[in-house]
Amino acid sequence: MKVYIIGCGYVGLVTGACLAKLGHEVCGVDVDKRKIEMLKQGKAPFYEPGVEELLRAGIRKGKLFFRHGIDEVINNYDLAIIAVGTPEREKDGGPDLFYVSQTAKEIAQHVTKKEFFVVGKSTVPIGTTRRIEEFLRSNNPNTKFHVGSNPETLREGSAVQDFMKPDRIIIGGGKGVCDILERLYEKIDCPKIVTDVESAELIKLVANFMLAQRISTANMVARICDCTSANIESVMHGVGLDGRIGPSFLQPGVGFGGSCFPKDVKNILKIAEHYYLPKRLFDSVIQTNEDQIGWIIRKIEKTAGLTLRNLTIAVWGLSFKPETDDTREAPSKKIIRQLLEEKARVKVFDPIANVKNEFGEKITHCTDMYEAVKGAEILLVVTEWDCFRDADLSKVKELMETPKIVDGRNIFDSKKVRSLGFKYKSVGRP
Ligand code: NAD
Ligand code: UGA
């Protein structure tokens, strides 16, 4: 099948590279000229394990092409997939549909075929797919448009694996859309949920909300553990073994970040608000997540002995999770901002990500994890990269001014770290 993918970010590029691997012919387009130039040379504009290899293989086999901007070439393709961003609107936290609307305008302008299929992968509020279809039909009456919803559920850091072996594929739309998507994904062996577009849009939002809700629950329970000396690991192990609950997404920490959970929970909250439904459930998940940063800061203060003024704090990990360089809505940035407000000196290290644009000279950007801890009074672990788990803690102790660790991801064994002479605090563990 010939597939035209609009937007070559995390979702668009992974989708394009994986579909090319499955044998489809894919053209990826993006408004970002620099991105397109990199992609044409086989370079991924972001770090995602396995993507660059697929990208190069796709180009080499003549299955994957890139173009700058939507144009008449769209007519050479059977199906267009919309994978542009739907970031949070600054004014009210709802999703900004500017890029989606722009894409719809450009599709209407360039498609000249009698019949054309468009499918949305971007995460959107309920009703968006229907409105895109109405817009395309009324702005380009010469083409019969079929528009569907195929929300994406991949995770950054394991995106290729998630795309190729998903738990399910969600397909929303009429018969034409469903048939074409069934063919597109025929080589992927998983349940295909075929439904109407509104339900497809809602499945995506509810799934992200429920995952985020589990994390907020784990973080709230971890605070109860901190107050009572119960151990979050035993608690969540015991809870997760209940087959109705399951063990995933119950890890407490510094709160959830990334470009999706925070924005998608607000997205569903806005939908409730729109229909005058109570929004407390959604609000509490967001609020608990935001409060988690304060909880971590208080842990640092307690470890330091009240004030952070003039203390040197080493931060290990900047990306919102391991195996990605994405720092969108990363807890690290919120924590660093607060540390700076309290007049601490901050040294940071991450194996891939950086926050130079955000903080510039206000903090020290280290290129080595041991350099970051040199002279530090507290080490704070924010992202659970493997290199931190494997760190030589004796060396860390020697380099630090005072041996104190606040482990925001519970990566270390408390007993072992304390036996090395560290003052050690983690999340919800005695
Ligand atoms: P992204 O910001 O990484 O990429 C979006 C791309 O679209 C950018 O490269 C941008 O230049 C391009 N673009 C914007 N307008 C365009 C236009 N008119 N024509 C062509 N290209 C255009 O975003 P992302 O993280 O890939 O997310 C895309 C969507 O998928 C969002 O709705 C997001 O919520 C959803 N989603 C993301 C993930 C994820 O892990 N990042 C997972 C599932 C779903
Ligand atoms: C999430 C979903 O898992 C994907 O299914 C979805 O497609 C995607 O959002 C999206 O819509 O964009 P992603 O944000 O890439 O994927 O990463 P996750 O692994 O879900 O982690 C999100 C955040 O939650 C991270 O900050 C992570 O550290 C945190 N988290 C995760 C916890 O704090 N505890 C956990 O137990 C799990």
Side-chain angles (χ1 to χ4, degrees), residues 104 107-108 118 132-141 145 147:
I107 295 174
V118 178
I132 294 174
E133 187 167 68
E134 282 161 10
F135 175 88
L136 291 174
R137 286 183 176 176
S138 57
N139 282 274
N140 184 343
F145 283 101
V147 184

Side-chain angles (χ1 to χ4, degrees), residues 152-156 204 208 211 215 249-251 256-257 260-261 264 320-321 409:
E152 183 49 61
T153 56
L154 60 77
R155 287 163 300 175
E156 289 178 27
K204 168 70 196 177
N208 271 7
L211 294 168
I215 301 167
F249 278 72
L250 294 177
Q251 287 295 321
F256 56 77
C260 292
F261 282 175
D264 293 347
F320 79 99
K321 62 180 286 193
R409 294 289 189 170

Side-chain angles (χ1 to χ4, degrees), residues 70-312:
I70 302 174
D71 59 16
E72 65 292 343
V73 167
I74 193 171
N75 292 296
N76 300 343
Y77 290 83
D78 303 313
L79 163 74
I81 294 181
I82 301 177
V84 298
T86 49
E88 193 177 316
R89 263 193 315 253
E90 245 174 56
K91 68 171 175 87
D92 64 355
D96 187 346
L97 297 180
F98 172 79
Y99 303 104
V100 172
S101 315
Q102 195 60 31
T103 304
K105 277 186 201 154
E106 291 173 46
I107 295 174
Q109 190 188 333
H110 292 289
V111 172
T112 51
K113 292 173 96 170
K114 281 217 167 68
E115 193 170 29
F116 197 65
F117 291 87
V118 178
V119 160
K121 259 197 186 297
S122 303
T123 307
V124 292
I126 308 167
T128 308
T129 311
R130 192 79 66 191
R131 279 196 292 279
I132 294 174
E133 187 167 68
E134 282 161 10
F135 175 88
L136 291 174
R137 286 183 176 176
S138 57
N139 282 274
N140 184 343
N142 297 328
T143 302
K144 186 168 179 2
F145 283 101
H146 305 269
V147 184
S149 166
N150 172 218
E152 183 49 61
T153 56
L154 60 77
R155 287 163 300 175
E156 289 178 27
S158 55
V160 171
Q161 164 87 1
D162 289 348
F163 189 94
M164 291 299 205
K165 293 191 170 129
D167 291 342
R168 78 300 199 196
I169 290 175
I170 306 153
I171 298 176
K175 184 163 181 338
V177 167
C178 295
D179 288 349
I180 204 166
L181 288 184
E182 295 261 15
R183 271 202 289 136
L184 184 73
Y185 295 123
E186 68 190 357
K187 289 194 185 151
I188 298 184
D189 180 25
C190 73
K192 314 234 162 77
I193 312 298
V194 176
T195 183
D196 56 280
V197 286
E198 287 77 11
S199 302
E201 290 167 336
L202 190 53
I203 290 170
K204 168 70 196 177
L205 293 177
V206 175
N208 271 7
F209 164 70
M210 292 194 79
L211 294 168
Q213 175 272 324
R214 288 170 71 98
I215 301 167
S216 277
T217 301
N219 284 331
M220 200 56 226
V221 176
R223 289 187 226 167
I224 295 177
C225 292
D226 277 338
C227 297
T228 58
S229 83
N231 188 328
I232 188 74
E233 278 172 0
S234 311
V235 174
M236 284 318 185
H237 181 59
V239 170
L241 280 177
D242 184 324
R244 295 166 301 175
I245 298 173
S248 355
F249 278 72
L250 294 177
Q251 287 295 321
V254 293
F256 56 77
S259 65
C260 292
F261 282 175
K263 131 179 118 67
D264 293 347
V265 178
K266 286 179 200 152
N267 188 336
I268 198 165
L269 179 149
K270 286 281 158 199
I271 294 168
E273 204 172 72
H274 180 80
Y275 292 104
Y276 301 102
L277 298 168
K279 53 182 187 180
R280 281 188 296 274
L281 179 67
F282 309 115
D283 244 338
S284 68
V285 169
I286 295 168
Q287 203 50 56
T288 305
N289 194 52
E290 284 170 7
D291 294 348
Q292 193 66 8
I293 300 293
W295 189 256
I296 298 291
I297 295 287
R298 277 193 295 285
K299 256 183 208 296
I300 304 172
E301 287 166 347
K302 274 189 201 154
T303 312
L306 278 184
T307 177
L308 301 184
R309 181 175 280 268
N310 293 332
L311 283 195
T312 302

